[in-house]
Amino acid sequence: MYNQEALVNRLHARGIRVTPQRAMILRAVEAMPGHVTAEELYAAVQAESPYVNLATVYRTLDLLKSLDLITDADMGTGATHYALRSHADHHHAICRACRHSVEFPDHLLSGLIHDLHTGYGFEAEANHIVVFGLCAACAKIEELHSSPA
Amino acid sequence: MYNQEALVNRLHARGIRVTPQRAMILRAVEAMPGHVTAEELYAAVQAESPYVNLATVYRTLDLLKSLDLITDADMGTGATHYALRSHADHHHAICRACRHSVEFPDHLLSGLIHDLHTGYGFEAEANHIVVFGLCAACAKIEELHSSPA
DNA sequence: TTGCAAATGCGAATGATTTGCAGCAAATTG
DNA sequence: CAATTTGCTGCAAATCATTCGCATTTGCAA
Ligand SMILES: [Mn+2]
Ligand SMILES: [Mn+2]
Ligand SMILES: [Zn+2]
Ligand SMILES: [Zn+2]
């Protein structure tokens, strides 16, 4: 867990300009609980200053992504969800029927990541990924639908 | 490996209408090598008959997906890639830098799938998935960029 | 046949993300 | 410093895959 101004400091450290817009966006990212869409961040930042553009939010998110300070994930809602790297000590299993999400720990992926690395030299960037499928409850329901004989 | 009319027969068997459009689209799906976008299928079908609409291609793909006869995957190109279920005995590791794709066998996911099932009752639908990251070559290049000291 | 649910074509709409560009601000240079 | 280059921003327009509304057919069963 790092302090509130961590992202700002990191950008400074790498010699990247920290404009007022960026500072606001970074603070908004850090203040967000869990995953956020660009639109949600935009709303949060607008509350502080109405003169920040959505395009700038996207551009800043791209920047943070390229610096590996945030993760992005498609949670199946249409919009990309962003989160701090420090958030991502887990992954998500999302039910395609009821949309419920189960968090599962990082180590469940360690086997796959290891195999990809030793087998193919591939460095998987599986920081905060999403696996789709059916939750226990919805799986039961689908079962009834397919074999009611 | 099943015969050319397999999909048509399967739809018949389930009492689903097989219109000329659907038949053409199904045959195009079966004739395609590997993964295809809706647009590519559309082009293939148009070559046979110009009066098939792109919306119908999408609707038919939805149908096939709901019947679990095809898989869909985001290969990072913007458009969804569809493939026959019979194609999907593997998955892909795609390099975010050079875009190269490595196929890896299904069993590398078996641990994860098993753990999700026993641990959470979650039935992962990981038939033809994509893991992003860096291939061996591009990983070396990134290494130089970050630690040239 | 007749009737109705399902399927299609067409064009318009959607909605997240990107881009072109002109104005500004910060950094760099001599 | 003043001049010049470089990077960042707002704004509006563009992209582009996918979906929708709706009027028109089609398939199949009574
Ligand atoms: Mn999460
Ligand atoms: Mn494949
Ligand atoms: Zn569910
Ligand atoms: Zn590569």
Side-chain angles (χ1 to χ4, degrees):
Chain A
M1 190 70 84
Y2 42 17
N3 67 25
Q4 275 298 89
E5 296 293 320
L7 289 182
V8 167
N9 293 337
R10 304 240 183 149
L11 292 220
H12 263 137
R14 304 202 199 196
I16 294 164
R17 287 194 198 168
V18 180
T19 63
Q21 288 89 332
R22 282 184 179 171
M24 281 189 280
I25 295 168
L26 301 195
R27 271 184 269 111
V29 167
E30 286 170 324
M32 282 294 174
H35 330 121
V36 218
T37 64
E39 205 74 46
E40 287 168 335
L41 272 174
Y42 177 56
V45 171
Q46 287 249 311
E48 189 176 342
S49 163
Y51 294 106
V52 177
N53 198 272
L54 179 56
T56 301
V57 172
Y58 276 108
R59 288 187 278 232
T60 303
L61 288 171
D62 277 352
L63 174 68
L64 294 176
K65 210 166 46 175
S66 76
L67 296 173
D68 199 31
L69 295 175
I70 60 173
T71 60
D72 61 324
D74 168 17
M75 322 273 297
T77 64
T80 305
H81 281 65
Y82 301 88
L84 281 178
R85 270 305 301 263
S86 65
H87 165 87
D89 58 337
H90 64 266
H91 309 274
H92 291 262
I94 298 182
C95 176
R96 71 145 204 276
C98 70
R99 301 271 107 198
H100 270 43
S101 161
V102 179
E103 292 190 10
F104 65 89
D106 193 44
H107 75 261
L108 296 199
L109 282 188
S110 56
L112 171 65
I113 291 172
H114 174 265
D115 291 349
L116 287 177
H117 191 238
T118 62
Y120 308 88
F122 189 86
E123 309 256 10
E125 292 173 350
N127 297 306
H128 189 234
I129 72 160
V130 177
V131 177
F132 292 97
L134 287 176
C135 73
C138 293
K140 277 214 178 60
I141 295 171
E142 291 249 331
E143 216 177 304
L144 299 181
H145 271 266
S146 60
S147 60
Chain B
M1 188 72 86
Y2 41 17
N3 68 24
Q4 274 299 85
E5 296 294 321
L7 288 183
V8 167
N9 293 337
R10 302 236 185 154
L11 292 221
H12 263 136
R14 304 201 200 197
I16 293 164
R17 287 193 197 170
V18 180
T19 63
Q21 289 89 332
R22 281 184 179 173
M24 281 188 281
I25 295 167
L26 301 194
R27 271 185 268 111
V29 168
E30 286 172 323
M32 283 293 174
H35 330 122
V36 218
T37 64
E39 206 74 46
E40 286 167 336
L41 272 174
Y42 177 56
V45 171
Q46 287 247 311
E48 190 178 342
S49 162
Y51 294 107
V52 175
N53 198 271
L54 179 58
T56 301
V57 171
Y58 276 108
R59 287 188 278 233
T60 303
L61 288 171
D62 277 352
L63 175 68
L64 294 176
K65 210 166 46 174
S66 76
L67 295 172
D68 199 31
L69 295 174
I70 60 174
T71 61
D72 62 325
D74 169 16
M75 321 273 297
T77 64
T80 306
H81 282 65
Y82 302 89
L84 283 177
R85 270 304 301 263
S86 63
H87 165 87
D89 57 337
H90 64 266
H91 309 274
H92 291 261
I94 298 181
C95 176
R96 71 144 204 277
C98 70
R99 300 270 108 199
H100 269 43
S101 161
V102 180
E103 292 190 7
F104 66 88
D106 193 45
H107 76 262
L108 296 199
L109 283 188
S110 56
L112 171 65
I113 290 172
H114 174 265
D115 290 350
L116 287 177
H117 191 236
T118 63
Y120 306 87
F122 189 85
E123 310 255 11
E125 293 173 349
N127 296 305
H128 188 235
I129 72 159
V130 177
V131 178
F132 292 97
L134 287 177
C135 73
C138 293
K140 277 214 180 61
I141 296 171
E142 291 249 331
E143 217 177 305
L144 299 182
H145 271 265
S146 60
S147 60

